[in-house]
């Protein structure tokens, strides 16, 4: 499912296994458990990196599990359960996208304060328009908060555009791209160490984040203290 490694004030959360890392209730629960562990020992200057193994960062919610419920009503109930659970995974960190990030997997990556991507592999893709599904409210607000260009948001959300590394930089979605998994990982650690060296106060950082993304914080459960209490 996932592992959590601590290197001084740096925490590395890794989605393990050579699979699609679909966000099932089990995986979401495992991520939340890891976040609770981080919160229990984090100090000023602590930084969290989220990355993955294999071809995918995450291929979205576990639709096969939802459909296995046997009928439309039960399937929608399972889907709603995952959407609401994922709402509380959104935290300020660094995401390392070394493979495909689709639908809710894209949302998970974008929810971090910094987003790094591998140049030679992987795409960002919001598949809902092609699947005929509407976006949950916080998905939409997140895209408005994190992608400044209206044209870029249109292409991603309404156009179902599959965005690769260099394009993602040009569209203002990711902070940078690197060739190869090893170099990407090194870049993430270097960024985390630079941020951690500033020894920022976590509560001050959180308040400033709320001011920067007020609509997002409200739709996620307003004032992020509610979210923090669940981690």
């Amino acid at each position: 499912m996932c592992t959590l490694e601590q290197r001084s004030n740096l925490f590395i959360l890794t989605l393990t296994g050579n699979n699609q890392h679909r966000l099932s209730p089990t995986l979401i629960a495992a991520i939340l458990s890891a976040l609770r562990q981080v919160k229990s020992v984090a100090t000023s200057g602590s930084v969290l990196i989220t990355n993955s193994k294999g071809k995918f960062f995450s291929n979205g919610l576990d639709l096969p599990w939802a459909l296995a419920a046997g009928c439309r009503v039960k399937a929608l109930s399972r889907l709603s359960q995952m959407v609401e659970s994922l709402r509380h995974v959104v935290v300020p960190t660094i995401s390392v996208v070394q493979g495909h990030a689709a639908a809710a997997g894209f949302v998970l990556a974008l929810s971090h304060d910094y987003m790094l991507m591998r140049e030679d592999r992987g795409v960002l893709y919001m598949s809902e328009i092609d699947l005929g599904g509407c976006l949950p409210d916080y998905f939409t607000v997140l895209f408005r908060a994190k992608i400044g260009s209206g044209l870029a948001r249109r292409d991603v959300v309404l156009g179902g555009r599959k965005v690769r590394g260099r394009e993602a930089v040009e569209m203002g979605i990711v902070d940078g791209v690197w060739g190869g998994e090893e170099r990407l990982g090194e870049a993430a650690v270097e960024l985390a160490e630079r941020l951690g060296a500033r020894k920022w106060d976590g509560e001050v950082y959180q308040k400033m984040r709320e001011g920067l993304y007020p609509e997002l914080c409200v739709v996620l459960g307003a004032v992020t203290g509610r979210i923090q209490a669940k981690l």
Side-chain angles (χ1 to χ4, degrees):
M1 282 293 167
C2 66
T3 61
L4 181 65
E5 175 189 357
Q6 181 177 0
R7 302 179 189 174
S8 186
N9 66 337
L10 174 62
F11 297 87
I12 302 176
L13 174 62
T14 303
L15 307 183
T16 58
N18 190 24
N19 53 51
Q20 296 184 19
H21 307 302
R22 285 192 174 272
L23 294 164
S24 65
T26 304
L27 179 54
I28 293 173
I31 294 172
L32 286 171
S33 175
L35 293 178
R36 284 193 292 269
Q37 291 181 53
V38 172
K39 190 180 180 220
S40 69
V41 296
T43 60
S44 295
S46 292
V47 182
L48 175 68
I49 294 174
T50 303
N51 64 13
S52 64
K53 297 294 185 182
K55 183 179 179 180
F56 290 85
F57 177 79
S58 171
N59 203 21
L61 297 176
D62 193 348
L63 297 182
W65 176 77
L67 294 174
C71 71
R72 177 179 173 81
V73 173
K74 291 181 179 179
L76 289 175
S77 176
R78 285 188 174 188
L79 186 60
S80 177
Q81 174 190 339
M82 290 185 289
V83 167
E84 287 305 307
S85 297
L86 182 64
R87 183 187 298 267
H88 303 298
V89 176
V90 179
V91 293
T93 50
I94 301 169
S95 62
V96 182
V97 183
Q98 58 80 34
H100 303 322
F106 188 176
V107 168
L108 176 62
L110 189 63
S111 70
H112 294 69
D113 281 341
Y114 299 87
M115 186 172 172
L116 313 183
M117 189 173 178
R118 184 167 165 174
E119 182 177 17
D120 56 333
R121 187 176 74 178
V123 297
L124 306 175
Y125 172 44
M126 285 306 293
S127 56
E128 279 77 0
I129 190 68
D130 293 323
L131 296 175
C134 294
L135 297 181
D137 56 357
Y138 70 95
F139 280 33
T140 304
V141 174
L142 178 68
F143 278 100
R144 287 204 300 267
K146 293 300 187 77
I147 301 179
S149 166
L151 295 178
R153 291 196 301 269
R154 178 203 64 193
D155 288 349
V156 168
V157 177
L158 298 180
R161 179 172 172 178
K162 296 180 179 179
V163 184
R164 297 188 180 275
R166 282 293 169 190
E167 293 176 305
V169 174
E170 294 167 1
M171 294 169 72
I173 300 174
V174 304
D175 294 278
V177 293
W178 285 263
E181 184 175 353
E182 182 177 354
R183 183 66 194 98
L184 176 62
E186 291 171 350
V189 171
E190 290 168 6
L191 173 59
E193 290 176 342
R194 287 201 306 273
L195 295 174
R198 305 295 294 274
K199 300 294 182 181
W200 287 321
D201 181 279
E203 292 186 5
V204 172
Y205 186 90
Q206 184 64 24
K207 288 293 185 182
M208 293 186 71
R209 185 176 185 266
E210 290 171 8
L212 187 61
Y213 306 118
E215 185 184 8
L216 179 60
C217 289
V218 167
V219 79
L220 285 176
V223 216
T224 17
R226 173 182 165 186
I227 298 175
Q228 292 291 342
K230 290 180 177 291
L231 297 181

